[in-house]
């Protein structure tokens, strides 16, 4: 059985990633989509009272929101969907832990339309998750629509190949989706102009 984890904050970007995941899993009855929400602990006000609803109220609202998203996704697919909401402060650390303890095959995340400069200075949960290398991460741009994965490109500078190539993650993607693999040498030290 394959498990795809889809972190969601209920934004349109994360919902689009969930739709993408459901369509990706549509042809495999042995795939489960897990919608994952991380919520912050409720901070008390200066007088010690919660600034918002109680922890239980918040969990109830989040579980209802996840259930509503599940219903929305079942309108486009019959794929098996589960959901979980956890308390935490770091999405990347929490997702990484969940992936390790629950044998997740692929994480599918949306990424906002932040500019490259914004991503460099502020970072991106999706990019940071991909850098962790715990499992393959498919990053879905805001307006992306699903198309069957037929080709995967691996860019390498061919330096320290044994220690820098994520062999296990590449094998996992190839086993799950059966795409063609293209390996491209990227070398910043040499500039080669390509013609048509």
């Amino acid at each position: 059985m394959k498990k795809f984890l889809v972190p969601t904050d209920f934004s349109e970007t994360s919902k689009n990633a969930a739709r993408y995941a459901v369509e990706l899993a549509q042809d495999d009855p042995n795939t489960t989509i897990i919608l994952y929400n991380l919520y912050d602990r409720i901070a008390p006000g200066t007088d010690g009272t919660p600034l918002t609803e109680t922890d239980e109220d918040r969990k109830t609202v989040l579980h209802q929101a996840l259930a509503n998203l599940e219903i929305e996704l079942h309108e486009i697919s019959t794929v098996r969907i589960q959901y979980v909401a956890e308390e935490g402060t770091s999405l990347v650390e929490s997702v990484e832990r969940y992936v390790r303890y629950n044998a997740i095959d692929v994480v599918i995340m949306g990424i906002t339309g932040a500019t490259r400069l914004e991503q460099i200075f502020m970072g991106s949960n999706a990019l940071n998750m991909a850098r962790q290398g715990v499992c393959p991460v498919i990053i879905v741009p805001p307006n992306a629509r699903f198309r069957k994965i037929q080709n995967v490109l691996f860019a390498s500078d061919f330096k320290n190949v044994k220690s820098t190539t994520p062999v296990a993650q590449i094998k996992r993607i190839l086993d799950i989706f059966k795409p063609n693999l293209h390996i491209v040498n990227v070398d910043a030290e040499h500039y080669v102009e390509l013609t048509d």
Side-chain angles (χ1 to χ4, degrees):
M1 176 183 281
K2 297 181 198 96
K3 297 180 191 174
F4 296 171
L5 184 73
V6 183
T8 182
D9 59 3
F10 308 107
S11 65
E12 194 49 46
T13 299
S14 67
K15 286 181 179 181
N16 187 53
R19 286 188 292 271
Y20 188 96
V22 163
E23 291 183 45
L24 183 62
Q26 179 65 32
D27 294 333
D28 188 349
N30 294 320
T31 300
T32 298
I33 302 292
I34 302 167
L35 301 173
Y36 180 89
N37 177 264
L38 183 74
Y39 61 93
D40 289 332
R41 183 169 192 75
I42 297 174
T46 56
D47 64 352
T49 59
L51 293 175
T52 57
E53 65 276 335
T54 67
D55 279 341
E56 285 306 312
D57 289 343
R58 191 164 194 194
K59 286 179 190 175
T60 301
V61 169
L62 287 172
H63 280 278
Q64 186 59 53
L66 287 164
N68 290 343
L69 180 55
E70 177 186 12
I71 291 166
E72 182 182 324
L73 294 171
H74 275 302
E75 291 175 5
I76 60 172
S77 174
T78 58
V79 70
R80 188 178 12 241
I81 299 173
Q82 300 172 357
Y83 54 85
V84 63
E86 291 186 330
E87 182 182 298
T89 55
S90 169
L91 179 66
V92 174
E93 289 174 11
S94 297
V95 168
E96 181 180 357
R97 183 178 57 254
Y98 193 89
V99 164
R100 288 183 192 280
Y101 290 123
N102 294 282
I104 300 298
D105 294 292
V106 178
V107 173
I108 302 172
M109 298 180 75
I111 189 168
T112 60
T115 66
R116 180 73 180 129
L117 190 60
E118 289 172 326
Q119 290 173 1
I120 289 169
F121 287 113
M122 298 186 319
S124 162
N125 284 324
L127 296 174
N128 289 334
M129 191 64 217
R131 283 186 197 106
Q132 293 299 316
V134 177
C135 75
V137 176
I138 296 176
I139 299 174
V140 181
N143 297 318
R145 297 290 170 250
F146 174 75
R147 287 194 345 221
K148 186 176 186 306
I149 297 174
Q150 297 176 343
N151 294 290
V152 171
L153 182 129
F154 177 68
S156 173
D157 60 8
F158 293 152
K159 296 177 184 169
N160 302 317
V161 173
K162 280 190 175 184
S163 63
T164 62
T165 304
V167 175
Q169 289 85 347
I170 293 171
K171 282 183 179 179
R172 192 174 300 166
I173 288 291
L174 297 177
D175 288 344
I176 293 172
F177 303 114
K178 311 286 190 251
N180 297 312
L181 174 64
H182 303 272
I183 301 173
V184 176
N185 176 241
V186 178
D187 187 349
E189 297 172 9
H190 296 92
Y191 176 76
V192 178
E193 185 176 350
L194 299 177
T195 64
D196 290 340

